[in-house]
Amino acid sequence: MGGALAPYRRVVVKIGSALLVEGRSGVLKRAWMESIADDVARLAAGGADVLLVSSGAIAMGRGVLGLPKGKLKLEESQAAAAVGQIALARAWSEVLAARGLTAGQVLLTLGDTEERRRYLNARATIGTLLKMKAVPVINENDTVATTEIRYGDNDRLGARVAAMMGADLLVLLSDIDGLYTAPPALDPEARHLPVVDRITPEIEAMAGAAGSELSRGGMKTKIEAGKIATVAGTRMIIASGKIDGPLSAVDGGGPHTLFLAEANPVTARKAWIAGHLEPRGTVAVDDGAVRALRSGKSLLPAGVTRITGRFERGDAVRVLDAAGLEIARGLVAYDAADAERIRGRNSSAIEEILGVPGRSEMIHRDDLVLTGEG
Ligand code: GLU
């Protein structure tokens, strides 16, 4: 993707039931699904991590079980989800595999993003899938989620996932191409908003409460999702999924509403590094490196004196000064063994030491936050 979506490195795409499943029959709209799989493959080929949050389990299960139209009881929708999720995940796995991509099914309940231990676990698993270049296909675990403990709609689930994974973009594919000043079906004066800087009470008032039988969320839940995403530094796009290749359409300048994030992704990423990660090891540095870090520079291998712990590339580590006090935390660019081999050495020697070219920083400044005991 070389257009509007080009800057984003980690993108969560939320796909609603109404787009994916034929309302009356509960049959999957396969051709449309193929077109979105093409989009995903294109994003992935450009180097972005792509995560899908796909609804449709209940709608498909309804079709398979031949349930009548109308509102389902909770236990009926749970049963429908149990049946439909198999078909849904299988379809994603097939269409992605046809494009050389591997799908990994992840079913989450509310506690998985709200309770710290489970949050860390869910994040680690999804992070590992991304490292392995698999595409997480995520849905709520409807079969066990009861009224009190559920997201209830995948717009909010998508936003939680985007915030948890430090995504820089959440795309909500909807039956409408963005936010309007008033419901366009009712008000001929309604104006489409291409960009929303901040979600103000005025913006909230523009979002009615409409939703179809298939999708639980109307514009209102999309704005709720927008709040979750944008405070975490994730931008959000609402675009129409009623065309083939909806992501390519956005990329090419097609209509959508872009919600800007409150913090920039680097600031939000830093908040996330400081607050959410369990450090896996330590990197002790000399006084020169302490000064460099305090003036906003990256940590170079030359300033590193000692490594402890068993960490992988991308793990969080604590940065200690010569007295052993923590001065910073960051995501390290090398695993512990390689870090040990290049510590104290000039960055220009990395390729010779490791046999492959590597990043010249041990911890890049965008991945580093000063925590300052020292
Ligand atoms: N998790 C539900 C399903 O897969 C959908 C929730 C929603 O539409 O937002 O059927």
Side-chain angles (χ1 to χ4, degrees), residues 17 54-59 139-140 142 152-155 214-216:
S17 302
S54 174
S55 307
I58 297 172
N139 197 358
E140 179 155 22
D142 291 305
D153 67 81
N154 277 1
D155 294 328
L214 281 181
S215 60
R216 295 218 189 85

Side-chain angles (χ1 to χ4, degrees), residues 47-311:
D49 293 333
V50 188
L51 302 90
L52 296 177
V53 173
S54 174
S55 307
I58 297 172
M60 282 182 81
R62 267 182 109 112
V64 177
L65 292 166
L67 301 177
K69 265 184 90 107
K71 207 169 160 9
L72 296 178
K73 287 193 218 122
L74 177 63
E75 59 274 24
E76 287 170 341
S77 37
Q78 289 180 309
V83 171
Q85 182 62 35
I86 296 180
L88 181 64
R90 175 182 174 155
W92 278 120
S93 167
E94 285 170 1
V95 297
L96 292 172
R99 288 152 185 87
L101 296 170
T102 304
Q105 176 186 254
V106 180
L107 298 179
L108 296 174
T109 46
L110 190 64
D112 293 321
T113 56
E114 314 304 299
E115 273 171 40
R116 185 166 169 80
R117 196 177 48 82
R118 288 165 61 189
Y119 169 98
L120 289 171
N121 184 38
R123 196 187 57 197
T125 306
I126 297 171
T128 305
L129 281 170
L130 293 174
K131 258 190 217 158
M132 294 171 169
K133 297 283 162 223
V135 178
V137 176
I138 301 165
N139 197 358
E140 179 155 22
N141 193 351
D142 291 305
T143 54
V144 295
T146 56
T147 320
E148 314 79 63
I149 52 147
R150 65 187 342 206
Y151 304 96
D153 67 81
N154 277 1
D155 294 328
R156 264 175 295 204
L157 170 61
R160 287 270 180 237
V161 166
M164 169 166 81
M165 299 313 298
D168 41 19
L169 181 67
L170 166 67
V171 183
L172 301 181
L173 294 177
S174 169
D175 54 2
I176 184 164
D177 59 8
L179 181 65
Y180 285 76
T181 51
L186 305 175
D187 186 346
E189 304 280 285
R191 232 172 5 93
H192 177 266
L193 298 172
V195 181
V196 171
D197 293 321
R198 243 166 55 81
I199 299 174
T200 58
E202 196 190 351
I203 293 291
E204 290 186 62
M206 290 173 190
S212 69
E213 188 183 356
L214 281 181
S215 60
R216 295 218 189 85
M219 192 51 80
K220 218 170 167 169
T221 67
K222 293 187 171 44
I223 300 297
E224 288 300 318
K227 287 200 229 165
I228 295 167
T230 55
V231 296
T234 303
R235 289 180 166 197
M236 184 174 90
I237 283 177
I238 297 178
S240 172
K242 287 170 95 177
I243 46 171
D244 284 351
L247 298 173
S248 296
V250 169
D251 189 60
H256 62 273
T257 299
L258 170 66
F259 294 76
L260 297 177
E262 285 183 22
N264 71 49
V266 172
T267 316
R269 184 174 168 78
K270 289 191 174 195
W272 175 71
I273 292 168
H276 281 304
L277 297 174
E278 300 288 16
R280 289 291 161 92
T282 67
V283 171
V285 303
D286 61 23
D287 293 345
V290 172
R291 276 195 299 279
L293 298 187
R294 292 222 165 108
S295 67
K297 300 222 169 72
S298 297
L299 177 64
L300 302 180
V304 175
T305 54
R306 192 161 170 261
I307 305 279
T308 68
R310 290 178 48 179
F311 47 83

